[in-house]
Structure formats: C-alpha cells, structure tokens
Amino acid sequence: MQRYFNTEGLCSPSKHYMVNLEDRLYRMKSYYVERGSYFVINRGRQYGKTTILRALAEYLKVEYVVVFMDFQMLSTKNFEDEASFSKAFAKMFLSAFPNTQMEESEELLSPIAGFIERKQNDSLDELFLCLSQMCSEAPRPVVLLIDEVDQASNHQIFIDFLAMLRGYYLNRENRAAFHSVILAGVYDIKNLKLKLRREDEHKYNSPWNIAARFNIDMSFSVNEIAAMLKEYEREHHVGMDTGSVAKEIYEYTSGYPYLVSSICKWIDEELSGKADVWTKSGVAAAVKSILNERTPLFESMIRQLNEYPEMKSMLHAVLFEGRRIGYHIDNPMINLAVMFGYIINKENSIQVANRIFEMCLYNLFLSEEELESAIGVEAERNQSQFIRSGRLDMDLVLEKFVLYYTDIYKGYDGKFLEEHGRKIFLLYLKPIINGTGNYYIEAQTRDARRTDIIVDYLGEQFIIETKIWRGDEYNERGERQLKDYLDYYHLKKGYLLSFNFNKNKKAGMRQIQIGDRTIIEAIV
C-alpha cells in the first residue's frame, strides 16, 4: 500500500509519511523512564501524543514490561464508584498486558485475574495490592502508560486512583510498584482537580506533586519536516524544493504536528496531478482550505474560548490591540492557554502559538462582529470593483476605505478609534478577499503602535503596515521599516495605513518614493 499523510489517529512509519521520532524516544527513555519518573505528556489536541506513546511502548519493550492502556475504552459507568472503577481498570490492564513478551505471563497475572473474578465489591487498595504483587514478581521493571487521561478527569474516583498511585510510587523501596508511570492527555494532572472543583484550596493539592516536568519539544522542526518531504519526493518525484517548502510550512504551523500533516495531505490529495503544487502558493492554498473546514481542532479551540471568556479576552487584546501581556505561567488563564497549545512564551510575553491559529482567531473574532459592521457591509456590497482582470486593486481598497472610514466613524472619539482602527480595516478587507485570498498578521511587528498585514491574493502578495500616527519623525521611521520589509519580500510596492487622530490632519492618499520602492500611504 502506498504511504500517505495521516491526520486521523495513530501514525505508523510503514503506512504514513511522518517525522523520525528516534531522538525523542531516546531522550524520553534516558531522561525519564530509566530514572523511574512519573510524568505527564500534556499537549494540545492532535499533537501526536498517542503516536509518540505507542512508539515509546515499542521502543521500551525489550528492557521493560510495558502496559499501554487507553482510557477512551472506559465508559461513564466504570467511574460510578470505587468497585466499578477497580474492576474495569483490572480488566483493561489484563487485556493490555503484553503476554507475547513472556511465557510466564499467565502465572504473573493470576492475582489480577483472581481480583476480577471476585464477587464482592473490591476497593482500590485491594487492586493496588494485586498490582504490587505482579510488579514484585515481574522479570523486568514494569512501565505503565495511560493515554487519554482526560476521559477520566471529571470523575473523583480517578483523583483517588492517582492519589493511591502516588502513595505506592513514593513507597517503592518498601513495596513493589510500577517502575515508571506515564500519563498522556491535554490536561496536566495538576489541573484535573481544577476541572472538578474551582475552590482555590483544591487546585494544587497532591496527588500530582511528584510528577517530573516533561520538557521534550514535540513540535516538528524545519529539518524534520524537510526530511519527511524528502521521503515523499523519493517516492513521487514531483521536483519539490524540500527545504523551502518545509520552511514555508513551518512559517504557518510552527511545527504543530496536525497542522503540518494537514497541509501536506491537502497538497498531495487535492492538488494531485497538477504542476508545481509543492510550492509557496500551494502551501497558501492548503492553509486557506484548512481554515475554511470544520475540524475537531478548531472546534475544540472555539469551545474552550467560550468556556473560558477571560482567555478569549486575553487573546483578543493581544491580536487587535497589540497589547504586551507578560508570560506568567501562574496566571490561570495563561496556564490554560499554554496547556491547550494556543500560546507560547516569546521574549517573556505571550504570543499565539502559530500563524494558522492566529488566522483562525482573527476569523472568529471578526465574524462575531462583521454582521454589525456597517463598513464590512459596504465593502461586501462593492466587492467586484476591487478585482480587475483577476487581480486585487489594493490602491483602490485603501482609497475607498479612507472615504468610508471618514464618513462612518467621524463622530467617534479618538480613544475608541485608536483601539479599534485596525480591526475596522480588517472588517473592511475580509469580505473583499474572502474565499479567494488569505491574510495574516506578522507577529514580529504587531504591537500597540504598528502592525503589518500580509495579504496573499491568487499568488500576489501585498504588505500593508498599519500604524498609529505619533508625529513626522515616527512616521518617517515607519516608512523606512516598510521599505526594509519590502526588500525582504522582494516587492516593489507597499502600503501604509496611518490612523491620525490630530484634529488638523488631512485625510487622503499620497505616494512616497524611497529608492526603487513605492509606498502608497492612506491617512484616516
């Protein structure tokens, strides 16, 4: 069977194109398992947790007895009480035990089998006595891996199970227990009680204060993406420049595994047979399509933002107001956003984790307002005038924006316009390019005073710097910055949208020439 890019469930090197996990597996074994650590792999949705956990189980099986359990297989009924959970756990443990690894497994597991057959309501402590006996008699150290612990996180019985697991783990010198325990899920185990009870005194009580900090980067690097694409190129001979395509994919995804695979899968399957699809424009087309789809990853993001409105407001302030919010992991909303994979620490400030997430969030926030936006309605009504011979007339877009903005918002105070001006422009721009073009914000330049918007329309790029007017000297510096940015993108023409709140300002358009670069400035 021909290999393909997989975005649904477990990945296998024999079936799918995927990055090489060998280095991560070696470090997980060396830094954690060999030291007998209890640790948690908590990453955002579709971050490759199950794939790495399965690969780790295979990697360890020669030196350890590895028991891999998946809590997705437990039902709500299994968490009704201690006896129900204990029996369900024992049955799953028995079925997950790698009996192909040792001939004596039947005898080794007899205490657990006997526990299952008992008629009385057994408790957690009796379950752990059986597990301890099994660990003491096992020919090799026993490693327990549990995937999808989130499935249990709303049940108090699971917290009790973790507490007892902790007790046995800490007392391993006196009573046999698992050599290493590895849990995987979106939620860090220290946050499980946060889901159960919101009272402050319950948030950080152990059973999880023994967990080692898992500090292995699971995102894909540019080189890892390029190596995966080289395997594809060797089999398909599409003439791809694997290095440049890998870099472009990374620019959009920052190596988020699902997003990397999604882009590759879309190009491979949707553009199959077409010439020169593994290019910068092919990646942009894939991103546009992915953002227009209803995917579990984006649906989960929207659900979490609605569940935690403070986190939503925080991200809105970063994206639209250019606010610099310090990275303080003890802040509950920052901690949650990091745990979900939505933000990262960038020079001690929070930043949205990747460009696709940014674009998704911009689309979400703008869609919530565009129905009430008069300027967006106006742009949509006159959309066709901005497209000439299949090309976007950005000069006209800015010219019309100046007119509509001046007419519609002339009665608003300067503070409102300073905070919301760039959002108003995006509300105007979005329906014009919607369905055909992409736009994203250059994170390196986004702050309270300056934002660069990159628009891609049918392969043609436009750079629009939006800035708040701070005087002639600052304005000239902005023009030079834009010129440098045009040099970087190899473009001859750029756009400057200046929000000037001086009463004596002169709104309108003007052209500036800096060397061989042309800048069209629109002043509102």
Side-chain angles (χ1 to χ4, degrees), residues 64-83:
Y64 299 89
V65 176
V66 183
V67 182
F68 185 103
M69 302 175 68
D70 185 347
F71 269 19
Q72 285 187 115
M73 307 304 291
L74 294 178
S75 68
T76 302
K77 187 176 178 61
N78 296 140
F79 294 95
E80 284 184 350
D81 53 43
E82 196 169 318

Side-chain angles (χ1 to χ4, degrees), residues 6-74:
N6 182 40
T7 57
E8 297 87 29
L10 184 69
C11 289
S12 168
S14 63
K15 298 178 181 178
H16 310 120
Y17 296 108
M18 54 185 293
V19 303
N20 191 319
L21 301 176
E22 186 74 19
D23 180 61
R24 290 178 182 82
L25 297 174
Y26 171 79
R27 286 184 288 150
M28 289 170 72
K29 177 175 179 281
S30 301
Y31 300 166
Y32 299 100
V33 177
E34 288 182 353
R35 298 174 183 178
S37 295
Y38 175 136
F39 65 100
V40 185
I41 304 174
N42 68 283
R43 293 293 185 273
R45 296 289 179 198
Q46 297 179 288
Y47 215 101
K49 298 183 293 295
T50 298
T51 295
I52 194 74
L53 215 58
R54 288 283 185 187
L56 181 62
E58 185 69 18
Y59 190 76
L60 297 174
K61 71 179 185 180
V62 174
E63 298 178 47
Y64 299 89
V65 176
V66 183
V67 182
F68 185 103
M69 302 175 68
D70 185 347
F71 269 19
Q72 285 187 115
M73 307 304 291
L74 294 178

Side-chain angles (χ1 to χ4, degrees), residues 104-148:
E104 65 273 26
S105 60
E106 185 174 345
E107 182 180 349
L108 185 66
L109 294 171
S110 59
I112 300 173
F115 175 85
I116 295 170
E117 291 169 1
R118 293 177 195 169
K119 299 300 181 184
Q120 65 266 37
N121 290 331
D122 291 314
S123 59
L124 281 173
D125 58 346
E126 291 167 318
L127 169 65
F128 271 92
L129 285 173
C130 295
L131 293 172
S132 178
Q133 182 179 343
M134 184 273 301
C135 289
S136 69
E137 297 174 358
R140 298 188 296 278
V142 182
V143 176
L144 176 65
L145 295 85
I146 304 179
D147 196 12
E148 300 291 349

Side-chain angles (χ1 to χ4, degrees), residues 14 98 119 172 178 266 299 340 431 496 499 510:
S14 63
K119 299 300 181 184
R172 286 177 298 169
F178 299 115
W266 194 89
E299 288 175 350
F340 292 141
L496 194 58
F499 292 90
R510 65 170 180 157

Side-chain angles (χ1 to χ4, degrees), residues 265-315:
K265 182 181 180 69
W266 194 89
I267 296 174
D268 177 48
E269 298 181 4
E270 300 299 325
L271 299 180
S272 178
K274 298 181 181 179
D276 299 325
V277 295
W278 287 96
T279 59
K280 187 174 183 177
S281 60
V283 172
V287 169
K288 181 168 70 77
S289 177
I290 291 166
L291 286 168
N292 287 333
E293 296 174 355
R294 290 177 60 87
T295 67
L297 179 60
F298 296 149
E299 288 175 350
S300 175
M301 176 188 285
I302 293 169
R303 185 170 62 252
Q304 299 294 0
L305 292 178
N306 290 333
E307 184 175 349
Y308 299 102
E310 292 174 338
M311 181 169 64
K312 185 176 183 179
S313 297
M314 176 181 71
L315 292 172

Side-chain angles (χ1 to χ4, degrees), residues 141-161:
V142 182
V143 176
L144 176 65
L145 295 85
I146 304 179
D147 196 12
E148 300 291 349
V149 293
D150 299 83
Q151 301 297 317
S153 60
N154 285 323
H155 302 281
Q156 183 62 45
I157 185 62
F158 181 61
I159 305 300
D160 298 336
F161 169 80

